[in-house]
């Protein structure tokens, strides 16, 4: 791989004539960056697609190629993408439905808006993978028809399709009104009863670990039930019987459903599996009594799931914040807090609560300023990246808390060039701050030169347009390929040097 040419292909300042020259010599790696250029003309996109087929796929997804630009016989993958984007010729679908490659027919089956005769042909395909892919994405009418397919794999796909009618999903779970499935992927290949070893020694075997069939296609039936439980279109009354199912995975899927009745929630709160209880804890269907019961759960994942529940009361959230690692994230309940609640949270004596509040980016100015002077470094770290803080406030944070907040201060979009230079010279050095400075739009040449000394910040600094051109040219021969590529992508690279680099 020529990393310099790859970087140059992504350079926003690359003149159009040099883009043409790069297209003429592009390989698959260079083509990836060329295809991502916002300034690529239609003629250049067509030329690139003809030179490197892989780039045509990307260009088609991005809408840079039209049906008139594509030869479906020479570029079937691109034709499939345009069909899936409803930008292709319907006649292509009729041709591809008879393609000898299963992978292409399978891709076609995932496309929406296919002609009805093509859908019928795919539904009768000799390869079950094609029919299952159609079942996964098709219309309600076709899904209902395929629910009675003799192959269990097709029924599993129907159960996952959110367009499948609710009554059909209920029938798939109960089996009422449907003939029994006759085959599955396991008994298609193995003599039953058969259980697939987790560590299968056969290199050509693609059965999933634990796949099994004793004549009832049990592993595929289990997967079908799991898909139906995860499907929001499945009726509530069809799933309530799974609360006591021996499969933990099925109970887990059940616990995530937002339509659970309170009686079912009360049964699941006592589930022996922490994963099931954690999924339930995050579910907005649970009431206040269950929330408070789950707040005392001994499992950390249960309490963390509860913290993400949009219905959790603030007093419970305060209890969770002090005893659970929640991470730097804006919780739904904090995001929905009223102005009065925001004031109460800001006055909390628990710094973990103030940390959570500081994740909001729409705080009133007075709350914003109070948190910026918080005595706890974790709170300051949470508020430091907020836009709207003054240079004086940011400097005061570093003066009070030093290395503990330097990186987050450097990440503030309003950090001034002078502040970034000071942070780059901070003693002791803060490696994470170097990386933030190196990607900051206000970074100056002196700050970036300091960042070059840090291994992880060096590629970021090499791409920054404020780096002196002479330094960028030097970095084109750096020992690290990431630095070479970043330097070549730097928009401040002199045009004469760009021209010299392109064959």
């Amino acid at each position: 791989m020529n990393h310099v040419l790859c970087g140059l292909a992504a350079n926003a300042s690359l003149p159009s004539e040099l883009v043409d020259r790069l297209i003429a010599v592009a390989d698959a790696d260079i083509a990836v960056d060329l295809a991502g250029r916002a300034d690529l003309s239609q003629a250049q996109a067509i030329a690139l697609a003809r030179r490197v087929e892989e780039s045509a796929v990307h260009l088609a997804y991005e809408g840079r190629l039209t049906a008139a630009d594509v030869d479906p016989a020479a570029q079937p993958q691109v034709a499939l993408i345009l069909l899936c984007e409803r930008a292709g010729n319907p006649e292509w679908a009729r041709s591809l439905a008879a393609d000898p490659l299963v992978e292409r027919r399978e891709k076609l089956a995932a496309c929406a808006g296919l002609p009805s005769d093509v859908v019928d042909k795919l539904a009768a395909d000799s390869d079950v993978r094609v029919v299952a892919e159609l079942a996964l994405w098709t219309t309600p009418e076709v899904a209902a028809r395929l629910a009675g397919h003799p192959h269990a794999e097709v029924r599993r796909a129907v159960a996952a399709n959110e367009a499948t009618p609710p009554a059909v999903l209920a029938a798939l779970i109960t089996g009422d009104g449907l003939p029994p499935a006759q085959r599955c992927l396991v008994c298609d290949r193995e003599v039953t009863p058969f259980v697939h070893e987790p560590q299968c020694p056969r290199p050509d075997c693609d059965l999933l670990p634990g796949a099994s069939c004793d004549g009832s296609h049990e592993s595929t039936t289990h997967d079908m039930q799991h898909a139906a439980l995860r499907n929001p279109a499945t009726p509530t009354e069809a799933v309530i019987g799974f609360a006591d199912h021996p499969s933990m995975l099925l109970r887990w899927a059940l616990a995530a459903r937002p339509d659970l009745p309170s009686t079912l929630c009360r049964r699941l709160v006592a589930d022996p599996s922490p994963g099931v209880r954690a999924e339930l804890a995050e579910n907005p269907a649970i009431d206040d009594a269950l929330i408070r019961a789950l707040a005392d759960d001994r499992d950390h994942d249960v309490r963390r799931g509860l913290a993400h529940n949009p219905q959790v009361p603030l007093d419970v959230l305060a209890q969770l914040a002090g005893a659970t690692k929640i991470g730097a994230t804006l919780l739904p309940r904090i995001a929905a807090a009223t102005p009065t609640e925001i004031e109460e949270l800001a006055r909390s004596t628990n710094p973990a609560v103030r940390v959570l509040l500081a994740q909001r980016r729409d705080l009133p100015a007075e709350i914003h300023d109070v948190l910026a002077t918080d005595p706890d470094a974790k709170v300051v770290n949470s508020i430091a990246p907020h836009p709207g803080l003054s240079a004086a406030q940011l400097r005061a944070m570093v003066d009070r808390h030093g290395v503990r907040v330097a990186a987050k201060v450097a990440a503030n979009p309003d950090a001034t060039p002078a502040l970034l230079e000071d942070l780059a010279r901070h003693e002791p050095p803060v490696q994470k701050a170097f990386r933030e400075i190196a990607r900051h739009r206000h970074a100056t040449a002196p700050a970036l030169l300091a960042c070059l000394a840090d291994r992880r910040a060096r590629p970021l600094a090499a791409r920054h347009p404020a780096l002196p051109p002479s330094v960028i040219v030097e970095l084109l021969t750096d020992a690290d390929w990431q630095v070479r590529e970043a330097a070549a992508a730097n928009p401040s690279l002199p045009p004469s040097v760009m021209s010299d680099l392109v064959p």
Side-chain angles (χ1 to χ4, degrees), residues 152-351:
E153 187 67 16
V154 175
R155 300 187 185 202
R156 181 203 59 77
V158 172
N161 187 339
E162 294 186 11
T164 301
V168 175
L169 290 167
L172 285 169
I173 286 182
T174 63
D176 294 341
L178 293 176
Q182 298 172 17
R183 307 190 311 277
C184 69
L185 293 178
V186 179
C187 59
D188 277 349
R189 311 174 193 187
E190 307 291 344
V191 176
T192 57
F194 177 84
V195 178
H196 190 227
E197 298 177 32
Q199 304 297 329
C200 180
R202 295 176 293 180
D204 60 340
C205 181
D206 59 0
L207 286 176
L208 294 175
S212 62
C213 181
D214 60 4
S216 65
H217 324 297
E218 63 270 17
S219 63
T220 309
T221 299
H222 178 277
D223 292 345
M224 180 188 69
Q225 293 169 333
H226 187 267
L229 286 166
R230 289 286 185 188
N231 194 326
T234 303
T236 306
E237 57 272 17
V239 303
I240 55 177
F242 286 88
D244 300 313
H245 198 280
S247 169
M248 180 269 291
L249 291 176
L250 296 185
R251 301 196 311 276
W252 196 328
L254 178 65
R257 292 184 62 93
D259 57 351
L260 294 180
S262 56
T263 53
L264 196 56
C265 291
R266 286 194 291 272
R267 288 164 64 186
L268 290 172
V269 80
D271 196 279
S273 169
V276 174
R277 300 197 307 276
E279 194 70 57
L280 181 70
E282 199 168 344
N283 193 331
I286 60 176
D287 59 25
D288 187 78
L290 291 183
I291 287 175
R292 294 182 184 279
L294 288 165
D296 294 325
D297 198 288
R298 290 182 295 178
D299 188 86
H300 174 269
D301 289 338
V302 174
R303 299 194 303 272
R304 184 169 57 186
L306 191 61
H308 286 266
N309 192 311
Q311 306 298 331
V312 62
L314 288 179
D315 65 307
V316 175
L317 188 56
Q319 172 190 338
L320 295 168
T324 309
K325 290 183 179 180
I326 296 171
T329 183
L330 178 60
L331 297 175
R333 183 63 182 87
I334 296 293
T338 65
T340 301
E341 290 173 334
I342 288 173
E343 292 181 7
E344 294 174 358
L345 292 166
R347 291 194 300 267
S348 174
T349 58
N350 185 348

